[in-house]
Amino acid sequence: MNGMLSVDLPDVPRLSSGKVRELFDLGDTLLIVATDRISAFDCVLPDPIPGKGEILNQLSAFWFQKFHQVPNHFITTSFESYPEALQPYADLIRGRSMIVRKSTPLPVECVVRGYLAGSGWKEYQESGTVCGIDLPEGLEFASQLPVPIFTPATKAASGHDENITWPKCCDILGSDQATVVRDLSLALYSEGSLYAATRDIIIADTKFEFGLCNGEIVLIDECLTPDSSRFWPADVYVAGKNPPSFDKQFVRDYLESLDWNKRPPAPRLPPEIIEKTAEKYRDVFTHLVG
Ligand SMILES: Nc1ncnc2c1ncn2[C@@H]1O[C@H](COP(=O)(O)OP(=O)(O)OP(=O)(O)O)[C@@H](O)[C@H]1O
Ligand SMILES: [Mg+2]
């Protein structure tokens, strides 16, 4: 199976190209197409992961429908109900695309952490805090936090996300809006984690995005996918150990084993790493939804 690295829909205006997804402008709504591109350390890798786009798309759709009580941008993934202008593109977009409400994204990434990993673990080792939040002493890598914490980030000019403190988040969004997105993020994380636990998956951390749509704050972008979250298998989880993961960590670990400075161009992936990664995406989908 070949993966999709790029997508062109002649006659449909492209709004923007993300690292993984392409946005097309349908007037009042948007078409989001998930390619099979994979990014790591904020670099898009030259090889696609076959099947990834479809899995990401369907997993987000699953959560958006589950979280229908929270205003979100989801409209449909049902190709039959797509506008006439998209019907010629079934082979390209069916299954890997979603029609959503157009919104203006808020300039803060809403990260929630229930466990200590990634940049949170790094900061904790240096200062005993994560995004300025004091944490108990003696936590190990991958330890569960006493309670999940909201650790916002901004897209820095460098392109890398930068963790920010709560006061800084309030400066950017205003404290009313900051409070709304913080509370929604914590509630979504908690509901998602409870569900995932019934499927033997730990959601170590995740990132939500919100946007404004006719003055209303709505959950946008993707939701609780392996690209936006760290998923760990609960049955083999032990604090202190690098958990085998259901997400991009596998690719990150491979890339860390190379002598690569994490600047473009990113290295090619060997076929076995591509296949193993594709399998991880399939596995987490089967665990959560199948
Ligand atoms: N409903 C929406 N309205 C407007 N923009 C949206 C909506 N949902 C998602 N987006 C934007 O679509 C893009 C998704 O693309 P993708 O995740 O591939 O990009 P990214 O690399 O994370 O983006 P960026 O480079 O901006 O960080 C994000 O920039 C996201 O903010
Ligand atoms: Mg993104």
Short mmCIF file of all heavy atoms in Angstrom, two decimals, residues 15-23 30 32 37 73 100-105 109 155 161 207 209 220-222, ligand 1:
data_model
loop_
_atom_site.label_atom_id
_atom_site.label_comp_id
_atom_site.label_asym_id
_atom_site.label_seq_id
_atom_site.Cartn_x
_atom_site.Cartn_y
_atom_site.Cartn_z
N LEU A 15 -7.01 26.38 1.45
CA LEU A 15 -6.86 27.48 2.41
C LEU A 15 -5.47 27.47 3.00
O LEU A 15 -4.82 28.50 3.12
CB LEU A 15 -7.91 27.34 3.51
CG LEU A 15 -8.07 28.52 4.45
CD1 LEU A 15 -8.68 29.70 3.71
CD2 LEU A 15 -8.94 28.13 5.64
N SER A 16 -5.01 26.29 3.40
CA SER A 16 -3.66 26.20 3.95
C SER A 16 -3.21 24.75 4.00
O SER A 16 -4.01 23.82 3.86
CB SER A 16 -3.61 26.80 5.36
OG SER A 16 -4.41 26.02 6.22
N SER A 17 -1.92 24.60 4.18
CA SER A 17 -1.29 23.29 4.27
C SER A 17 -0.62 23.18 5.62
O SER A 17 0.29 23.96 5.90
CB SER A 17 -0.16 23.20 3.23
OG SER A 17 -0.57 22.51 2.12
N GLY A 18 -1.04 22.24 6.44
CA GLY A 18 -0.34 22.01 7.71
C GLY A 18 0.74 20.97 7.51
O GLY A 18 1.02 20.57 6.38
N LYS A 19 1.33 20.55 8.62
CA LYS A 19 2.36 19.54 8.49
C LYS A 19 1.74 18.21 8.04
O LYS A 19 2.36 17.44 7.32
CB LYS A 19 3.12 19.38 9.81
CG LYS A 19 4.07 20.56 10.07
CD LYS A 19 4.92 20.36 11.28
CE LYS A 19 4.17 20.58 12.57
NZ LYS A 19 3.84 21.98 12.86
N VAL A 20 0.51 17.96 8.47
CA VAL A 20 -0.12 16.68 8.17
C VAL A 20 -1.40 16.85 7.34
O VAL A 20 -1.69 16.05 6.46
CB VAL A 20 -0.43 15.93 9.49
CG1 VAL A 20 -1.25 14.67 9.23
CG2 VAL A 20 0.87 15.58 10.21
N ARG A 21 -2.13 17.90 7.64
CA ARG A 21 -3.45 18.04 7.01
C ARG A 21 -3.53 19.24 6.07
O ARG A 21 -2.81 20.22 6.24
CB ARG A 21 -4.52 18.09 8.10
CG ARG A 21 -4.72 16.68 8.67
CD ARG A 21 -5.42 16.64 9.97
NE ARG A 21 -4.68 17.37 10.98
CZ ARG A 21 -5.24 18.00 11.97
NH1 ARG A 21 -6.54 18.00 12.09
NH2 ARG A 21 -4.49 18.63 12.85
N GLU A 22 -4.43 19.11 5.10
CA GLU A 22 -4.66 20.17 4.12
C GLU A 22 -6.07 20.70 4.34
O GLU A 22 -7.00 19.93 4.52
CB GLU A 22 -4.57 19.59 2.70
CG GLU A 22 -3.25 18.89 2.40
CD GLU A 22 -2.13 19.86 2.07
OE1 GLU A 22 -2.43 21.01 1.69
OE2 GLU A 22 -0.96 19.45 2.20
N LEU A 23 -6.18 22.03 4.31
CA LEU A 23 -7.50 22.65 4.50
C LEU A 23 -7.97 23.23 3.18
O LEU A 23 -7.23 24.00 2.54
CB LEU A 23 -7.38 23.79 5.52
CG LEU A 23 -7.71 23.46 6.98
CD1 LEU A 23 -6.91 22.31 7.49
CD2 LEU A 23 -7.52 24.69 7.85
N LEU A 30 -15.20 24.09 5.94
CA LEU A 30 -13.87 23.70 5.47
C LEU A 30 -13.86 22.20 5.24
O LEU A 30 -14.56 21.45 5.93
CB LEU A 30 -12.82 23.97 6.55
CG LEU A 30 -12.51 25.40 6.95
CD1 LEU A 30 -11.53 25.38 8.12
CD2 LEU A 30 -11.91 26.14 5.76
N ILE A 32 -11.21 19.26 5.68
CA ILE A 32 -9.87 18.92 6.18
C ILE A 32 -9.51 17.55 5.63
O ILE A 32 -10.25 16.58 5.83
CB ILE A 32 -9.83 18.85 7.73
CG1 ILE A 32 -10.23 20.20 8.33
CG2 ILE A 32 -8.44 18.46 8.21
CD1 ILE A 32 -10.07 20.26 9.85
N ARG A 37 1.20 11.98 5.76
CA ARG A 37 2.47 12.56 6.21
C ARG A 37 2.61 12.38 7.72
O ARG A 37 1.62 12.34 8.46
CB ARG A 37 2.51 14.07 5.91
CG ARG A 37 2.54 14.42 4.44
CD ARG A 37 2.95 15.88 4.22
NE ARG A 37 1.97 16.86 4.65
CZ ARG A 37 1.05 17.44 3.86
NH1 ARG A 37 0.96 17.12 2.58
NH2 ARG A 37 0.21 18.36 4.35
N HIS A 73 -16.23 21.51 15.97
CA HIS A 73 -16.36 21.90 14.56
C HIS A 73 -16.85 20.79 13.64
O HIS A 73 -17.10 21.03 12.47
CB HIS A 73 -15.03 22.49 14.06
CG HIS A 73 -13.94 21.49 13.85
ND1 HIS A 73 -12.78 21.80 13.15
CD2 HIS A 73 -13.80 20.19 14.24
CE1 HIS A 73 -11.99 20.73 13.12
NE2 HIS A 73 -12.58 19.76 13.76
N VAL A 100 -15.94 20.52 8.31
CA VAL A 100 -16.02 21.15 9.63
C VAL A 100 -16.47 22.60 9.50
O VAL A 100 -16.44 23.18 8.42
CB VAL A 100 -14.64 21.12 10.35
CG1 VAL A 100 -14.12 19.70 10.49
CG2 VAL A 100 -13.61 22.01 9.63
N ARG A 101 -16.86 23.17 10.65
CA ARG A 101 -17.18 24.59 10.68
C ARG A 101 -15.88 25.38 10.61
O ARG A 101 -14.92 25.07 11.29
CB ARG A 101 -17.92 24.93 11.98
CG ARG A 101 -19.30 24.31 12.05
CD ARG A 101 -19.78 24.23 13.48
NE ARG A 101 -20.15 25.54 14.01
CZ ARG A 101 -20.42 25.76 15.30
NH1 ARG A 101 -20.34 24.76 16.19
NH2 ARG A 101 -20.76 26.95 15.71
N LYS A 102 -15.94 26.43 9.81
CA LYS A 102 -14.77 27.31 9.68
C LYS A 102 -14.63 28.12 10.96
O LYS A 102 -15.63 28.64 11.47
CB LYS A 102 -15.02 28.24 8.51
CG LYS A 102 -13.79 28.81 7.87
CD LYS A 102 -14.17 29.81 6.79
CE LYS A 102 -14.00 29.24 5.39
NZ LYS A 102 -14.29 30.25 4.35
N SER A 103 -13.44 28.23 11.48
CA SER A 103 -13.28 29.04 12.68
C SER A 103 -11.97 29.80 12.65
O SER A 103 -11.12 29.55 11.80
CB SER A 103 -13.34 28.15 13.93
OG SER A 103 -12.05 27.65 14.20
N THR A 104 -11.83 30.71 13.59
CA THR A 104 -10.55 31.41 13.75
C THR A 104 -9.83 30.77 14.93
O THR A 104 -10.27 30.89 16.07
CB THR A 104 -10.80 32.90 14.05
OG1 THR A 104 -11.67 33.41 13.05
CG2 THR A 104 -9.50 33.68 14.05
N PRO A 105 -8.74 30.03 14.67
CA PRO A 105 -8.06 29.33 15.76
C PRO A 105 -7.53 30.30 16.82
O PRO A 105 -7.00 31.36 16.48
CB PRO A 105 -6.91 28.61 15.05
CG PRO A 105 -7.33 28.49 13.62
CD PRO A 105 -8.16 29.72 13.35
N GLU A 109 -2.16 26.58 22.29
CA GLU A 109 -2.38 25.15 22.22
C GLU A 109 -2.73 24.67 23.63
O GLU A 109 -1.99 24.95 24.58
CB GLU A 109 -1.12 24.44 21.77
CG GLU A 109 -0.40 25.14 20.64
CD GLU A 109 -0.37 24.32 19.39
OE1 GLU A 109 0.35 23.30 19.38
OE2 GLU A 109 -1.08 24.68 18.43
N LYS A 155 2.63 28.67 19.61
CA LYS A 155 3.49 28.39 18.48
C LYS A 155 4.53 29.50 18.43
O LYS A 155 4.21 30.64 18.13
CB LYS A 155 2.69 28.39 17.19
CG LYS A 155 1.78 27.19 17.05
CD LYS A 155 1.10 27.23 15.68
CE LYS A 155 -0.22 26.51 15.64
NZ LYS A 155 -0.21 25.09 15.73
N ASP A 161 6.76 24.55 19.44
CA ASP A 161 5.85 25.02 20.49
C ASP A 161 6.66 25.42 21.71
O ASP A 161 7.69 24.83 22.01
CB ASP A 161 4.86 23.92 20.86
CG ASP A 161 3.86 23.68 19.74
OD1 ASP A 161 3.86 24.48 18.77
OD2 ASP A 161 3.10 22.70 19.83
N LYS A 207 -3.15 17.38 23.30
CA LYS A 207 -3.27 18.80 22.95
C LYS A 207 -4.60 19.05 22.25
O LYS A 207 -4.94 18.34 21.31
CB LYS A 207 -2.14 19.17 21.99
CG LYS A 207 -2.15 20.62 21.57
CD LYS A 207 -1.31 20.84 20.34
CE LYS A 207 -2.07 20.48 19.08
NZ LYS A 207 -1.31 20.67 17.84
N GLU A 209 -7.12 22.08 20.40
CA GLU A 209 -7.16 23.44 19.87
C GLU A 209 -8.60 23.92 19.88
O GLU A 209 -9.53 23.14 19.67
CB GLU A 209 -6.61 23.49 18.43
CG GLU A 209 -5.11 23.36 18.37
CD GLU A 209 -4.55 23.61 16.96
OE1 GLU A 209 -5.07 24.48 16.24
OE2 GLU A 209 -3.59 22.92 16.60
N ILE A 220 -11.70 22.53 17.88
CA ILE A 220 -11.41 22.35 16.44
C ILE A 220 -10.26 21.38 16.26
O ILE A 220 -9.84 20.70 17.18
CB ILE A 220 -11.07 23.71 15.76
CG1 ILE A 220 -9.79 24.31 16.36
CG2 ILE A 220 -12.23 24.69 15.88
CD1 ILE A 220 -9.19 25.43 15.51
N ASP A 221 -9.73 21.35 15.06
CA ASP A 221 -8.53 20.61 14.73
C ASP A 221 -8.78 19.10 14.87
O ASP A 221 -9.80 18.60 14.45
CB ASP A 221 -7.36 21.10 15.58
CG ASP A 221 -6.02 20.77 14.96
OD1 ASP A 221 -5.84 21.06 13.77
OD2 ASP A 221 -5.16 20.21 15.66
N GLU A 222 -7.83 18.38 15.46
CA GLU A 222 -8.00 16.95 15.66
C GLU A 222 -8.28 16.71 17.14
O GLU A 222 -8.11 17.61 17.95
CB GLU A 222 -6.76 16.19 15.21
CG GLU A 222 -5.48 16.59 15.91
CD GLU A 222 -4.26 15.89 15.32
OE1 GLU A 222 -4.38 14.79 14.78
OE2 GLU A 222 -3.15 16.46 15.42
N1 LIG B 1 -12.28 24.39 12.16
C1 LIG B 1 -11.11 24.95 11.83
N2 LIG B 1 -11.08 26.21 11.33
C2 LIG B 1 -9.89 26.78 10.98
N3 LIG B 1 -8.69 26.18 11.07
C3 LIG B 1 -8.65 24.93 11.57
C4 LIG B 1 -9.85 24.24 11.95
N4 LIG B 1 -9.52 23.03 12.41
C5 LIG B 1 -8.17 22.94 12.30
N5 LIG B 1 -7.63 24.07 11.81
C6 LIG B 1 -6.21 24.34 11.53
O1 LIG B 1 -5.81 23.41 10.56
C7 LIG B 1 -4.43 23.06 10.69
C8 LIG B 1 -4.33 21.56 10.70
O2 LIG B 1 -3.22 21.16 10.02
P1 LIG B 1 -2.02 20.33 10.69
O3 LIG B 1 -2.38 19.79 12.01
O4 LIG B 1 -1.50 19.47 9.63
O5 LIG B 1 -1.05 21.55 10.85
P2 LIG B 1 0.01 21.89 11.90
O6 LIG B 1 1.30 21.63 11.32
O7 LIG B 1 -0.37 21.41 13.25
O8 LIG B 1 -0.31 23.40 11.74
P3 LIG B 1 0.54 24.53 12.11
O9 LIG B 1 1.73 24.45 11.19
O10 LIG B 1 -0.37 25.71 11.90
O11 LIG B 1 0.86 24.23 13.54
C9 LIG B 1 -3.99 23.71 12.00
O12 LIG B 1 -3.25 24.87 11.71
C10 LIG B 1 -5.29 24.07 12.70
O13 LIG B 1 -5.18 25.19 13.54
#
